[in-house]
Amino acid sequence: MNYHQLITIETGKRSGKPCIRGMGITVYDILEYLASGMTEAEILEDFSELTSEDIKACLTFAANRLNWAVTPTQPNDSTSNREFLSRI
């Protein structure tokens, strides 16, 4: 999916966070709704301005962002798991 037409980043809108089609609904908002257990149908019912394509664009955007992340080195004897996780 090509999300570049649907996910926008504007300096003056929602502090520059990635939003859907310039609206005030962020990718993070949609991910939070899905993570809390809302279904796509429930989100679309609550936000009539959104489409199924918008939600898929959010998921694709998030997946691509994770893929861009640099993988930190694994913890070793001198690094605690908490220190390691704080670098992720």
Side-chain angles (χ1 to χ4, degrees):
M1 152 169 276
N2 185 357
Y3 59 82
H4 297 92
Q5 304 290 324
L6 300 175
I7 304 301
T8 59
I9 298 174
E10 300 174 44
T11 308
K13 193 167 285 182
R14 294 294 298 264
S15 301
K17 295 177 183 170
C19 292
I20 301 167
R21 293 185 283 118
M23 295 184 279
I25 303 169
T26 66
V27 169
Y28 181 82
D29 294 335
I30 298 301
L31 296 176
E32 278 288 300
Y33 298 141
L34 292 168
S36 73
M38 284 182 78
T39 65
E40 181 178 317
E42 290 171 327
I43 294 169
L44 295 175
E45 185 178 319
D46 286 354
F47 300 93
S48 60
E49 64 271 31
L50 294 179
T51 67
S52 180
E53 201 71 8
D54 292 330
I55 293 174
K56 288 178 181 66
C58 290
L59 293 171
T60 303
F61 177 85
N64 285 341
R65 290 295 294 249
L66 285 174
N67 196 34
W68 296 334
V70 175
T71 306
T73 58
Q74 294 294 316
N76 56 40
D77 292 338
S78 65
T79 307
S80 72
N81 282 336
R82 179 173 286 161
E83 290 173 302
F84 172 72
L85 291 174
S86 71
R87 291 184 285 177
I88 298 179

